[in-house]
Amino acid sequence: MPISRPVPWVSPVLYGAVLAAGLYAWLAGLGDTQPVLFAGGLAALAGIDLLERRRYPARTPRRPAAALLGARIALFAAVAAVDGSGLSRALFVLVPFTAYFAFGRAIAVALAAAGALLLMTAGAVADPRWYADVEQVSDLLMFCVGLVLTVSMAAVAVEERRARAELAASTARVAELSATAERNRVARDIHDDLGHHLTAIVLLLEKATAFRDLDSGAADRAVLDAHGSARRALDDVRRSVRTLREVGEPFSLSDALTDLVAGQAEDGGPTVVLEFAGEESGHDAAALRALYRAAQEGITNSRRHARATLVSVAATLDAAGAELVVRDDGRGFSPEREGYGLLGMRERVQLAGGRVDIGGASGGGTRLTVTIPRRSAP
């Protein structure tokens, strides 16, 4: 399928060469050149090109393109008839060249073959023994070479433009996918960071409301704990913004899990026990962050949905990979209750090359297991 109009400089260059040769032949008295008709025909051709570009800036529709091509062929013939130099026959190479952009390769090749056959037939009619004339055979061969070159040039131009269009589309698609991936990442971070702290704040305020009349001291402590959780949420937001703006310190899973567990006690949440084994060096940072987010989500769900009183977090890192197990003694897990948090967790773990398993734990409660094969740290 045609994709655009012809290369704009080819026709004017050829018109200029034909004009110079024809005027030289006229001034030198070579042949029978009629300068007014000759120059007027070339000017008309240039005018057609200019009007077409203005009328159809991007692409000429097929019907107008066919009409314009017919007009050009007629003017080519008229110019050749009044040109004593004989060079005007080179104008006919523009026929397949223009047709390639307007109608495609098949029609362009057919017109090129028809042009060569027409020139051969005209030579045979004028001189039955034209094939014995070296000059006529040379002219025919040169004309055929010109046809091949112009069709090849048109093919290269079309493919180059198509490649540029495909590259632009691919670039736009990559940008769109990158933006989507970044939006999903930010959404996961918002859910994991703010969602975790907001859950604690909501539960603490509910506790303060429930104990307001029964135990004012417990209510006051719950409000203070809620304030503390809100401050930690603000610190997490600032840390996330800082991370987006600059390269932060290397991530430490053990330190992050230790802080996470300590924060549960400060927020008045369930008892959380941490077990950590192995060395983090050599493990992919994305895998370590995915484990931390999984632990964060597991504790939040144990606190919000399971109403657990005891949560255990066990992280094991070895040569084969990394594993995180979060268990609680709550009400158990229902698959239909999976929300955005678990979805985001699965996405993070899958991006790190791992898997998530979640279900009931022995003795009741819920067991969350995250396994990520080891990949070398970048």
Side-chain angles (χ1 to χ4, degrees), residues 124-363:
V125 170
D127 182 5
R129 291 184 55 81
W130 65 272
Y131 54 85
D133 188 333
V134 175
E135 183 177 351
Q136 292 191 50
V137 173
S138 177
D139 288 345
L140 177 61
L141 291 177
M142 291 302 296
F143 183 73
C144 291
V145 170
L147 290 173
V148 172
L149 290 177
T150 52
V151 171
S152 300
M153 181 188 297
V156 170
V158 166
E159 292 304 318
E160 187 268 340
R161 292 178 182 180
R162 181 178 288 112
R164 272 194 289 174
E166 292 176 352
L167 177 61
S170 298
T171 301
R173 180 59 177 164
V174 169
E176 179 183 353
L177 292 175
S178 299
T180 300
E182 183 63 14
R183 284 196 298 270
N184 290 337
R185 188 193 67 79
V186 172
R188 290 192 295 266
D189 287 347
I190 291 174
H191 180 278
D192 293 343
D193 284 330
L194 291 182
H196 173 78
H197 290 296
L198 291 176
T199 296
I201 293 171
V202 168
L203 293 176
L204 288 168
L205 292 178
E206 288 177 352
K207 178 180 178 181
T209 300
F211 281 84
R212 181 175 55 189
D213 298 328
L214 300 176
D215 187 345
S216 60
D220 291 340
R221 287 193 300 273
V223 171
L224 289 176
D225 290 339
H227 288 167
S229 188
R231 285 193 296 271
R232 283 188 290 276
L234 181 59
D235 291 339
D236 281 350
V237 170
R238 289 171 175 167
R239 184 166 52 252
S240 296
V241 172
R242 185 168 60 251
T243 300
L244 289 173
R245 290 183 174 272
E246 59 186 21
V247 179
E249 297 179 356
F251 178 76
S252 171
L253 177 61
S254 59
D255 291 344
L257 289 177
T258 300
D259 293 342
L260 177 64
V261 170
Q264 304 307 308
E266 295 175 4
D267 289 341
T271 301
V272 182
V273 180
L274 173 64
E275 297 180 12
F276 192 94
E279 293 293 332
E280 299 181 38
S281 59
H283 286 269
D284 184 16
L288 299 179
R289 291 182 184 276
L291 291 178
Y292 170 73
R293 294 301 189 185
Q296 194 176 44
E297 180 64 19
I299 294 173
T300 299
N301 287 340
S302 296
R303 184 172 187 169
R304 176 189 297 173
H305 303 298
R307 302 294 181 179
T309 60
L310 177 62
V311 180
S312 66
V313 178
T316 305
L317 284 70
D318 55 29
E323 180 184 71
L324 177 83
V325 179
V326 180
R327 296 187 184 90
D328 66 43
D329 61 353
R331 296 180 296 184
F333 172 75
S334 298
E336 63 273 8
R337 282 167 35 199
E338 280 205 27
Y340 290 114
L342 290 177
L343 174 62
M345 180 205 304
R346 293 185 188 278
E347 290 176 348
R348 286 181 187 277
V349 173
Q350 287 174 0
L351 288 174
R355 58 175 294 177
V356 175
D357 295 303
I358 184 169
S362 59

Side-chain angles (χ1 to χ4, degrees), residues 6 69 73 76 90-116 143 146-152 154-155:
L69 183 60
I73 293 174
F76 292 162
L91 293 173
F92 285 96
V93 300
L94 293 176
V95 174
F97 180 76
T98 303
Y100 200 113
F101 293 88
F103 309 108
R105 179 174 56 188
I107 293 180
V109 172
L111 288 175
F143 183 73
L147 290 173
V148 172
L149 290 177
T150 52
V151 171
S152 300

